[in-house]
Amino acid sequence: MAQNWQDPAFAGQWDARHLAGNPARAEHLAILLSMMEEVPQGWVLDLGCGSGLVAQMVLDRSAGARIFGVDSSAAMLGLAHERLASYGDRTRLAEGDLTALDRVDAPSGCAAVIAVQSLHHLAEPQYQSAVRWTFEHLAPAGWFVIIDRLAIPSETLYSAFYVLRERQGQSPNPPDWSGYLDWLAANGDRPQPVQTILRLLEAAGFQAAALDVRGDRGMVVGRRPA
Ligand SMILES: C[S@@+](CC[C@H](N)C(=O)[O-])C[C@H]1O[C@@H](n2cnc3c(N)ncnc32)[C@H](O)[C@@H]1O
């Protein structure tokens, strides 16, 4: 099923099966939540917050955290409103586009910004703008945590990624490069190579590192200097 985030049926199915076909997600979220325990009281911006699954985990784990979530899907935001209603003023949700974050009235001086499986929808210039915007909205020493799909760099290397993805139980796993490109196009996915993500973070002023890369799934961290 191609991804259509505006479709309430697709949104509900993704929410119910958010761990399916992506064995790295649970581990990366566990690392994220441990990191968030150290985040001081304050706003955590959740870019592409979807149905609020990760927001709820952060709110439960970090007593001082408040979440400002932004997403362009009314269907996903509807699920997030339901899920987060009991957290009262610890949450704010906004309909907005990651390609036009300047139009989002988000808090500044934030303790952290997280982006879980959302930035791979952006082309590189849009990604660059989102990273710069993020830097400006973080307090000194604030963390930027990205968990996302990464680009498979070339057809020449594809068979190695296919083998790894098969072993990991990732699905779907197209058997050849053209099938992979078709699958990305059908979903509107434009994953960036980890090198590009690190370069964009460093160019914006972050200290940045690839914390954990598992084939085409990765966790990249950036920190605004203190
Ligand atoms: C795979 S879901 C991840 C949701 C959530 N971060 C999580 O991990 O549970 C991707 C989310 O990104 C959102 N999204 C995709 N492109 C977007 C864009 N250009 N602006 C804002 N949100 C976008 C989708 O609506 C969807 O909710």
mmCIF file of all heavy atoms in Angstrom, residues 3 5-6 14 18 25 29 46-54 70-73 76 96-99 115-118 120-122, ligand 1:
data_model
loop_
_atom_site.group_PDB
_atom_site.id
_atom_site.type_symbol
_atom_site.label_atom_id
_atom_site.label_comp_id
_atom_site.label_asym_id
_atom_site.label_seq_id
_atom_site.Cartn_x
_atom_site.Cartn_y
_atom_site.Cartn_z
ATOM 1 N N GLN A 3 2.108 5.024 0.571
ATOM 2 C CA GLN A 3 1.842 5.890 1.719
ATOM 3 C C GLN A 3 0.994 7.089 1.310
ATOM 4 O O GLN A 3 1.356 7.826 0.408
ATOM 5 C CB GLN A 3 3.158 6.386 2.305
ATOM 6 C CG GLN A 3 3.968 5.297 2.950
ATOM 7 C CD GLN A 3 5.327 5.783 3.417
ATOM 8 O OE1 GLN A 3 5.707 6.919 3.174
ATOM 9 N NE2 GLN A 3 6.052 4.928 4.095
ATOM 10 N N TRP A 5 -0.489 9.863 3.708
ATOM 11 C CA TRP A 5 -0.653 10.283 5.114
ATOM 12 C C TRP A 5 -1.958 11.021 5.344
ATOM 13 O O TRP A 5 -2.400 11.156 6.482
ATOM 14 C CB TRP A 5 0.536 11.138 5.548
ATOM 15 C CG TRP A 5 1.826 10.376 5.482
ATOM 16 C CD1 TRP A 5 2.847 10.545 4.596
ATOM 17 C CD2 TRP A 5 2.214 9.291 6.341
ATOM 18 N NE1 TRP A 5 3.842 9.627 4.841
ATOM 19 C CE2 TRP A 5 3.490 8.857 5.898
ATOM 20 C CE3 TRP A 5 1.623 8.644 7.429
ATOM 21 C CZ2 TRP A 5 4.167 7.801 6.515
ATOM 22 C CZ3 TRP A 5 2.299 7.605 8.042
ATOM 23 C CH2 TRP A 5 3.550 7.193 7.589
ATOM 24 N N GLN A 6 -2.562 11.531 4.253
ATOM 25 C CA GLN A 6 -3.822 12.258 4.427
ATOM 26 C C GLN A 6 -5.022 11.314 4.525
ATOM 27 O O GLN A 6 -6.121 11.742 4.859
ATOM 28 C CB GLN A 6 -4.041 13.238 3.252
ATOM 29 C CG GLN A 6 -2.920 14.257 3.056
ATOM 30 C CD GLN A 6 -2.733 15.172 4.273
ATOM 31 O OE1 GLN A 6 -3.640 15.327 5.086
ATOM 32 N NE2 GLN A 6 -1.558 15.780 4.397
ATOM 33 N N TRP A 14 -0.989 2.590 9.750
ATOM 34 C CA TRP A 14 0.429 2.839 10.074
ATOM 35 C C TRP A 14 0.591 2.909 11.588
ATOM 36 O O TRP A 14 1.527 2.322 12.149
ATOM 37 C CB TRP A 14 0.930 4.136 9.410
ATOM 38 C CG TRP A 14 2.425 4.222 9.506
ATOM 39 C CD1 TRP A 14 3.319 3.750 8.603
ATOM 40 C CD2 TRP A 14 3.187 4.750 10.606
ATOM 41 N NE1 TRP A 14 4.598 3.944 9.073
ATOM 42 C CE2 TRP A 14 4.550 4.553 10.284
ATOM 43 C CE3 TRP A 14 2.850 5.364 11.810
ATOM 44 C CZ2 TRP A 14 5.576 4.953 11.140
ATOM 45 C CZ3 TRP A 14 3.875 5.751 12.663
ATOM 46 C CH2 TRP A 14 5.210 5.554 12.333
ATOM 47 N N HIS A 18 3.265 0.396 13.636
ATOM 48 C CA HIS A 18 4.418 1.288 13.455
ATOM 49 C C HIS A 18 5.760 0.600 13.616
ATOM 50 O O HIS A 18 6.786 1.103 13.162
ATOM 51 C CB HIS A 18 4.317 2.488 14.406
ATOM 52 C CG HIS A 18 4.469 2.157 15.854
ATOM 53 N ND1 HIS A 18 5.619 2.431 16.563
ATOM 54 C CD2 HIS A 18 3.627 1.580 16.721
ATOM 55 C CE1 HIS A 18 5.479 2.035 17.808
ATOM 56 N NE2 HIS A 18 4.273 1.517 17.933
ATOM 57 N N ARG A 25 13.609 0.412 14.444
ATOM 58 C CA ARG A 25 12.832 1.475 15.106
ATOM 59 C C ARG A 25 12.798 1.318 16.629
ATOM 60 O O ARG A 25 13.015 2.281 17.359
ATOM 61 C CB ARG A 25 11.407 1.514 14.533
ATOM 62 C CG ARG A 25 10.503 2.564 15.200
ATOM 63 C CD ARG A 25 9.177 2.670 14.462
ATOM 64 N NE ARG A 25 8.155 3.366 15.220
ATOM 65 C CZ ARG A 25 7.869 4.665 15.140
ATOM 66 N NH1 ARG A 25 8.561 5.445 14.336
ATOM 67 N NH2 ARG A 25 6.894 5.213 15.841
ATOM 68 N N LEU A 29 14.334 4.104 19.121
ATOM 69 C CA LEU A 29 13.446 4.838 20.038
ATOM 70 C C LEU A 29 13.902 4.648 21.487
ATOM 71 O O LEU A 29 13.835 5.576 22.298
ATOM 72 C CB LEU A 29 11.996 4.384 19.869
ATOM 73 C CG LEU A 29 11.319 4.825 18.560
ATOM 74 C CD1 LEU A 29 9.874 4.324 18.511
ATOM 75 C CD2 LEU A 29 11.355 6.344 18.400
ATOM 76 N N ASP A 46 8.744 18.124 17.948
ATOM 77 C CA ASP A 46 8.635 16.816 17.288
ATOM 78 C C ASP A 46 8.238 17.072 15.833
ATOM 79 O O ASP A 46 7.071 17.352 15.533
ATOM 80 C CB ASP A 46 7.591 15.978 18.046
ATOM 81 C CG ASP A 46 7.505 14.542 17.537
ATOM 82 O OD1 ASP A 46 8.136 14.230 16.510
ATOM 83 O OD2 ASP A 46 6.783 13.748 18.175
ATOM 84 N N LEU A 47 9.235 17.013 14.939
ATOM 85 C CA LEU A 47 9.010 17.345 13.522
ATOM 86 C C LEU A 47 8.470 16.122 12.779
ATOM 87 O O LEU A 47 9.159 15.116 12.666
ATOM 88 C CB LEU A 47 10.323 17.797 12.866
ATOM 89 C CG LEU A 47 11.029 18.993 13.514
ATOM 90 C CD1 LEU A 47 12.298 19.344 12.729
ATOM 91 C CD2 LEU A 47 10.098 20.199 13.598
ATOM 92 N N GLY A 48 7.240 16.224 12.277
ATOM 93 C CA GLY A 48 6.588 15.054 11.684
ATOM 94 C C GLY A 48 6.138 14.126 12.794
ATOM 95 O O GLY A 48 6.416 12.933 12.787
ATOM 96 N N CYS A 49 5.388 14.698 13.732
ATOM 97 C CA CYS A 49 5.010 13.964 14.964
ATOM 98 C C CYS A 49 4.027 12.844 14.689
ATOM 99 O O CYS A 49 3.840 11.947 15.534
ATOM 100 C CB CYS A 49 4.418 14.931 15.983
ATOM 101 S SG CYS A 49 2.880 15.703 15.418
ATOM 102 N N GLY A 50 3.376 12.874 13.513
ATOM 103 C CA GLY A 50 2.443 11.807 13.169
ATOM 104 C C GLY A 50 1.339 11.676 14.193
ATOM 105 O O GLY A 50 0.731 12.659 14.650
ATOM 106 N N SER A 51 1.093 10.440 14.595
ATOM 107 C CA SER A 51 -0.033 10.138 15.493
ATOM 108 C C SER A 51 0.336 10.291 16.967
ATOM 109 O O SER A 51 -0.430 9.866 17.833
ATOM 110 C CB SER A 51 -0.513 8.716 15.222
ATOM 111 O OG SER A 51 0.571 7.803 15.335
ATOM 112 N N GLY A 52 1.499 10.866 17.243
ATOM 113 C CA GLY A 52 1.862 11.172 18.634
ATOM 114 C C GLY A 52 2.458 10.002 19.409
ATOM 115 O O GLY A 52 2.632 10.092 20.630
ATOM 116 N N LEU A 53 2.807 8.931 18.710
ATOM 117 C CA LEU A 53 3.366 7.755 19.392
ATOM 118 C C LEU A 53 4.653 8.108 20.136
ATOM 119 O O LEU A 53 4.811 7.782 21.325
ATOM 120 C CB LEU A 53 3.682 6.663 18.361
ATOM 121 C CG LEU A 53 2.511 5.876 17.781
ATOM 122 C CD1 LEU A 53 2.937 5.183 16.489
ATOM 123 C CD2 LEU A 53 2.041 4.855 18.800
ATOM 124 N N VAL A 54 5.574 8.762 19.453
ATOM 125 C CA VAL A 54 6.868 9.072 20.068
ATOM 126 C C VAL A 54 6.688 10.183 21.105
ATOM 127 O O VAL A 54 7.287 10.155 22.180
ATOM 128 C CB VAL A 54 7.905 9.463 18.988
ATOM 129 C CG1 VAL A 54 9.266 9.722 19.637
ATOM 130 C CG2 VAL A 54 8.015 8.374 17.928
ATOM 131 N N VAL A 70 4.549 18.975 15.123
ATOM 132 C CA VAL A 70 4.083 19.538 13.850
ATOM 133 C C VAL A 70 4.029 18.427 12.812
ATOM 134 O O VAL A 70 4.909 17.575 12.740
ATOM 135 C CB VAL A 70 4.980 20.723 13.404
ATOM 136 C CG1 VAL A 70 6.438 20.327 13.329
ATOM 137 C CG2 VAL A 70 4.527 21.286 12.078
ATOM 138 N N ASP A 71 2.965 18.438 12.030
ATOM 139 C CA ASP A 71 2.785 17.431 10.980
ATOM 140 C C ASP A 71 1.833 18.022 9.938
ATOM 141 O O ASP A 71 1.008 18.866 10.257
ATOM 142 C CB ASP A 71 2.189 16.142 11.571
ATOM 143 C CG ASP A 71 2.468 14.918 10.702
ATOM 144 O OD1 ASP A 71 1.804 14.765 9.661
ATOM 145 O OD2 ASP A 71 3.364 14.127 11.072
ATOM 146 N N SER A 72 1.966 17.546 8.700
ATOM 147 C CA SER A 72 1.100 18.071 7.633
ATOM 148 C C SER A 72 -0.147 17.226 7.414
ATOM 149 O O SER A 72 -0.985 17.577 6.590
ATOM 150 C CB SER A 72 1.898 18.169 6.320
ATOM 151 O OG SER A 72 2.432 16.903 5.988
ATOM 152 N N SER A 73 -0.255 16.119 8.127
ATOM 153 C CA SER A 73 -1.401 15.230 7.918
ATOM 154 C C SER A 73 -2.468 15.453 8.986
ATOM 155 O O SER A 73 -2.245 15.174 10.172
ATOM 156 C CB SER A 73 -0.933 13.764 7.949
ATOM 157 O OG SER A 73 -2.038 12.917 8.195
ATOM 158 N N MET A 76 -3.205 12.078 10.718
ATOM 159 C CA MET A 76 -2.257 11.691 11.768
ATOM 160 C C MET A 76 -2.420 12.609 12.989
ATOM 161 O O MET A 76 -2.385 12.147 14.142
ATOM 162 C CB MET A 76 -0.820 11.753 11.242
ATOM 163 C CG MET A 76 -0.502 10.711 10.175
ATOM 164 S SD MET A 76 -0.563 9.003 10.775
ATOM 165 C CE MET A 76 1.128 8.728 11.279
ATOM 166 N N GLY A 96 1.359 21.750 9.952
ATOM 167 C CA GLY A 96 2.367 22.537 9.247
ATOM 168 C C GLY A 96 3.243 21.631 8.420
ATOM 169 O O GLY A 96 3.257 20.412 8.609
ATOM 170 N N ASP A 97 3.970 22.262 7.500
ATOM 171 C CA ASP A 97 4.764 21.491 6.550
ATOM 172 C C ASP A 97 6.248 21.642 6.872
ATOM 173 O O ASP A 97 6.726 22.761 7.080
ATOM 174 C CB ASP A 97 4.474 22.002 5.128
ATOM 175 C CG ASP A 97 4.811 20.944 4.096
ATOM 176 O OD1 ASP A 97 5.976 20.472 4.095
ATOM 177 O OD2 ASP A 97 3.927 20.580 3.311
ATOM 178 N N LEU A 98 6.945 20.518 6.862
ATOM 179 C CA LEU A 98 8.384 20.553 7.143
ATOM 180 C C LEU A 98 9.146 21.297 6.051
ATOM 181 O O LEU A 98 10.291 21.681 6.241
ATOM 182 C CB LEU A 98 8.934 19.127 7.281
ATOM 183 C CG LEU A 98 8.308 18.276 8.401
ATOM 184 C CD1 LEU A 98 8.927 16.881 8.414
ATOM 185 C CD2 LEU A 98 8.466 18.945 9.754
ATOM 186 N N THR A 99 8.506 21.478 4.889
ATOM 187 C CA THR A 99 9.152 22.240 3.818
ATOM 188 C C THR A 99 8.930 23.741 3.980
ATOM 189 O O THR A 99 9.451 24.524 3.194
ATOM 190 C CB THR A 99 8.619 21.812 2.433
ATOM 191 O OG1 THR A 99 7.230 22.174 2.352
ATOM 192 C CG2 THR A 99 8.775 20.325 2.214
ATOM 193 N N ALA A 115 13.135 14.227 15.156
ATOM 194 C CA ALA A 115 12.495 13.986 13.858
ATOM 195 C C ALA A 115 12.602 12.487 13.598
ATOM 196 O O ALA A 115 13.686 11.977 13.299
ATOM 197 C CB ALA A 115 13.182 14.782 12.751
ATOM 198 N N VAL A 116 11.504 11.787 13.766
ATOM 199 C CA VAL A 116 11.517 10.325 13.658
ATOM 200 C C VAL A 116 10.787 9.909 12.374
ATOM 201 O O VAL A 116 9.573 10.123 12.245
ATOM 202 C CB VAL A 116 10.868 9.667 14.899
ATOM 203 C CG1 VAL A 116 10.926 8.149 14.779
ATOM 204 C CG2 VAL A 116 11.568 10.129 16.182
ATOM 205 N N GLN A 117 11.552 9.381 11.446
ATOM 206 C CA GLN A 117 11.021 8.865 10.184
ATOM 207 C C GLN A 117 10.174 9.898 9.436
ATOM 208 O O GLN A 117 9.126 9.574 8.889
ATOM 209 C CB GLN A 117 10.210 7.583 10.438
ATOM 210 C CG GLN A 117 11.085 6.421 10.895
ATOM 211 C CD GLN A 117 10.278 5.187 11.278
ATOM 212 O OE1 GLN A 117 10.439 4.654 12.375
ATOM 213 N NE2 GLN A 117 9.434 4.715 10.385
ATOM 214 N N SER A 118 10.642 11.124 9.432
ATOM 215 C CA SER A 118 9.872 12.169 8.763
ATOM 216 C C SER A 118 10.702 12.967 7.756
ATOM 217 O O SER A 118 10.176 13.349 6.706
ATOM 218 C CB SER A 118 9.278 13.126 9.806
ATOM 219 O OG SER A 118 10.283 13.631 10.669
ATOM 220 N N HIS A 120 12.905 12.137 5.678
ATOM 221 C CA HIS A 120 13.207 11.508 4.384
ATOM 222 C C HIS A 120 12.174 11.880 3.315
ATOM 223 O O HIS A 120 12.299 11.472 2.161
ATOM 224 C CB HIS A 120 13.311 9.979 4.515
ATOM 225 C CG HIS A 120 12.026 9.314 4.863
ATOM 226 N ND1 HIS A 120 11.607 9.127 6.151
ATOM 227 C CD2 HIS A 120 11.042 8.806 4.073
ATOM 228 C CE1 HIS A 120 10.428 8.520 6.141
ATOM 229 N NE2 HIS A 120 10.066 8.321 4.894
ATOM 230 N N HIS A 121 11.174 12.641 3.705
ATOM 231 C CA HIS A 121 10.215 13.134 2.715
ATOM 232 C C HIS A 121 10.717 14.409 2.037
ATOM 233 O O HIS A 121 10.075 14.885 1.102
ATOM 234 C CB HIS A 121 8.867 13.413 3.389
ATOM 235 C CG HIS A 121 8.194 12.163 3.897
ATOM 236 N ND1 HIS A 121 7.644 11.227 3.052
ATOM 237 C CD2 HIS A 121 8.005 11.693 5.143
ATOM 238 C CE1 HIS A 121 7.134 10.234 3.757
ATOM 239 N NE2 HIS A 121 7.342 10.487 5.038
ATOM 240 N N LEU A 122 11.843 14.960 2.509
ATOM 241 C CA LEU A 122 12.306 16.255 2.002
ATOM 242 C C LEU A 122 13.437 16.099 0.994
ATOM 243 O O LEU A 122 14.320 15.254 1.167
ATOM 244 C CB LEU A 122 12.821 17.127 3.155
ATOM 245 C CG LEU A 122 11.882 17.337 4.345
ATOM 246 C CD1 LEU A 122 12.490 18.348 5.316
ATOM 247 C CD2 LEU A 122 10.510 17.795 3.898
HETATM 248 C C1 LIG B 1 6.477 7.459 9.217
HETATM 249 S S1 LIG B 1 5.444 8.692 9.942
HETATM 250 C C2 LIG B 1 6.322 8.984 11.468
HETATM 251 C C3 LIG B 1 5.449 9.614 12.529
HETATM 252 C C4 LIG B 1 6.127 9.767 13.889
HETATM 253 N N1 LIG B 1 7.309 10.599 13.818
HETATM 254 C C5 LIG B 1 6.497 8.411 14.441
HETATM 255 O O1 LIG B 1 7.672 8.030 14.328
HETATM 256 O O2 LIG B 1 5.620 7.730 14.967
HETATM 257 C C6 LIG B 1 5.896 10.105 8.945
HETATM 258 C C7 LIG B 1 5.130 11.373 9.282
HETATM 259 O O3 LIG B 1 5.717 12.464 8.560
HETATM 260 C C8 LIG B 1 4.662 13.303 8.132
HETATM 261 N N2 LIG B 1 5.127 14.101 7.001
HETATM 262 C C9 LIG B 1 5.549 13.654 5.795
HETATM 263 N N3 LIG B 1 5.914 14.691 5.020
HETATM 264 C C10 LIG B 1 5.698 15.812 5.759
HETATM 265 C C11 LIG B 1 5.881 17.192 5.503
HETATM 266 N N4 LIG B 1 6.354 17.647 4.329
HETATM 267 N N5 LIG B 1 5.555 18.067 6.485
HETATM 268 C C12 LIG B 1 5.082 17.632 7.685
HETATM 269 N N6 LIG B 1 4.891 16.334 7.978
HETATM 270 C C13 LIG B 1 5.200 15.437 7.023
HETATM 271 C C14 LIG B 1 3.544 12.356 7.774
HETATM 272 O O4 LIG B 1 2.289 13.018 7.754
HETATM 273 C C15 LIG B 1 3.663 11.324 8.882
HETATM 274 O O5 LIG B 1 2.854 11.657 9.975
#
